[in-house]
Amino acid sequence: MKKVFAVLLFLVSSISMAGDIAVEDAWIQDAPPAARVMAAYMRIVNRSDHAVTLEAVESDRFGAVDIHATEVHHGMVHMSERRAVPIAPGESLALEPGGHHLMLRKAKGSVRAGDRVTFMLHFGNGDILETVAVVRGSDAGAAGGAAR
Amino acid sequence: MSSSIVGRAAVAAIAIFLGTLGAAGYRMFLQSPAPLADEAPLPGVMVHSSAQSVPAFALLDGRGVPFSENDLRGQWTIVAFGYTQCPDFCPTTLADMARFFDRLVNVGGTPDTRFAFISTDPFRDTPQHLSSYVSYFSKDFLALTGEPRELHRLLDWLGMPHGYGDPRTGLAVGDLLHSPATDDYVVDHYSGLLVIDPAARLVASILPPFDTERMDQAYSAIRKLHEVGVK
């Protein structure tokens, strides 16, 4: 039975778990070859009974991954880095277009639609969660603004 | 769809707004988060009672060829502002515009409207680099950049504050008149779209979101109002 569960978990590859933290629907917005930056999105769910803090993210495909937030104030777009993003017990953190996102810089080689990119999410309690994000093409129905 | 009750109500709401907004309202609007508030069917869309001519400017298109206010004449132009080292907001806007223009073509054949992306980061966005970035979303999109001083003049006239900041500290590292000393900075820019008519006059603005359904409603409402206004 345990084996079956393990296989099922493996098949549901869009969900990653470490302890009581889970990541769902991780994806990367496809970008022009000329782009020097890309963005990754996902939902991080805190199923524990205590707050956790997302503190850093790494990927072997990018030299730098920054936790960023896009904000619009008075009609102006402003983007800034976040060092530690808290997720309350039972709550989730949505990284989504126009809001929090992972800014991906210094790509090691080209990253194209359909690629799978592994991220290591580091939390304040010492947990490290590995998750895989798929690069979505710009024409994908659920990509970009349509995801809002 | 375009003649739905919602569509007509939107036109009516904007028409009411038209009467109350003077020519000086443009700058006010750009810095206002939700000019029509929640009671309007189309919040975040504004049409001017008296369209203002775009002032003289000298930018460069994706081939490095001069592009001035006169090149706006003869067709409608929807303009967005941003920069290529913007991972989230700008590619989302460009992808939304690609979908919207696909729809314009599918519904009405060759559209009488084009899309232009103006870089607010001319220090890093050369015409060639900007062009290869923007054309990825659509070969028909115009990519405009240029001398920082020229861009500053245009943004200043539009009442669009802008600036370059350190993403970690939030401290300012420069602006269009003061070249940043670092290559690692983020750019504040206007979130909305400007709508320019074939006489090179600013007639409307649209704040995000830019999903196709909302763009359809907003743009057809703007065009209908413009027809009423010019006849």
Side-chain angles (χ1 to χ4, degrees), chain A residues 30 41 70 75-78 81, chain B residues 88 136 161 168 188-189 191:
Chain A
D30 183 25
Y41 305 103
T70 299
M76 299 297 293
V77 190
H78 176 73
E81 190 175 326
Chain B
D88 176 45
Y136 181 77
R168 280 157 287 278
D188 288 357
H189 59 91
S191 63

Side-chain angles (χ1 to χ4, degrees), chain B residues 21-32 46-48 50-52 81 157-160 190 193-196 202-206:
Chain B
L21 194 93
Y26 205 78
R27 286 158 207 229
M28 297 282 291
F29 168 73
L30 288 178
Q31 292 168 41
S32 159
M46 195 191 70
V47 179
H48 299 294
S50 53
Q52 301 180 58
F81 299 84
W157 184 83
L158 290 167
M160 291 180 187
Y190 179 54
L193 306 171
L194 303 183
V195 179
I196 297 170
L202 272 173
V203 298
S205 325
I206 306 170

Side-chain angles (χ1 to χ4, degrees), chain B residues 106-129:
Chain B
N106 290 337
V107 170
T110 307
D112 59 358
T113 308
R114 65 183 166 178
F115 174 75
F117 186 81
I118 297 184
S119 173
T120 51
D121 186 16
F123 297 108
R124 297 185 296 191
D125 288 342
T126 61
Q128 191 186 20
H129 178 66

Side-chain angles (χ1 to χ4, degrees), chain A residues 17-28:
Chain A
M17 291 176 72
D20 292 324
I21 307 170
V23 172
E24 301 169 358
D25 302 327
W27 61 285
I28 294 173

Side-chain angles (χ1 to χ4, degrees), chain B residues 21-98:
Chain B
L21 194 93
Y26 205 78
R27 286 158 207 229
M28 297 282 291
F29 168 73
L30 288 178
Q31 292 168 41
S32 159
L36 287 185
D38 293 332
E39 67 270 18
L42 275 184
V45 175
M46 195 191 70
V47 179
H48 299 294
S49 52
S50 53
Q52 301 180 58
S53 294
V54 175
F57 66 79
L59 298 179
L60 298 171
D61 71 13
R63 300 161 297 170
V65 173
F67 188 99
S68 78
E69 73 287 358
N70 287 322
D71 296 305
L72 293 169
R73 293 177 185 278
Q75 60 192 310
W76 288 80
T77 311
I78 295 176
V79 181
F81 299 84
Y83 63 113
T84 67
Q85 294 199 37
C86 161
D88 176 45
F89 193 90
C90 309
T92 300
T93 298
L94 283 159
D96 281 345
M97 286 301 110

Side-chain angles (χ1 to χ4, degrees), chain A residues 29-39 41 66 68-70 72-83 96-105 138-141 143-146 148, chain B residues 29-33 83-89 91-92 95-96 99 102 124-125 129 132-134 136-137 159-162 166-168 170 184 186-192 207-211:
Chain A
Q29 173 70 68
D30 183 25
R36 295 189 186 112
V37 294
M38 299 177 84
Y41 305 103
D66 304 320
H68 269 220
T70 299
V72 178
H73 289 304
H74 303 295
M76 299 297 293
V77 190
H78 176 73
M79 190 174 75
S80 56
E81 190 175 326
R82 296 288 188 272
R83 285 291 166 77
E96 57 191 2
H100 281 92
H101 58 273
L102 302 179
M103 171 153 137
L104 317 175
R105 297 185 288 131
S138 290
D139 293 324
R148 281 180 298 215
Chain B
F29 168 73
L30 288 178
Q31 292 168 41
S32 159
Y83 63 113
T84 67
Q85 294 199 37
C86 161
D88 176 45
F89 193 90
T92 300
D96 281 345
R99 277 187 285 267
D102 269 354
R124 297 185 296 191
D125 288 342
H129 178 66
S132 72
Y133 184 90
V134 170
Y136 181 77
F137 295 92
M160 291 180 187
H162 69 277
D166 182 319
R168 280 157 287 278
D184 180 17
V186 293
V187 178
D188 288 357
H189 59 91
Y190 179 54
S191 63
L207 286 177
F210 305 130
D211 56 89

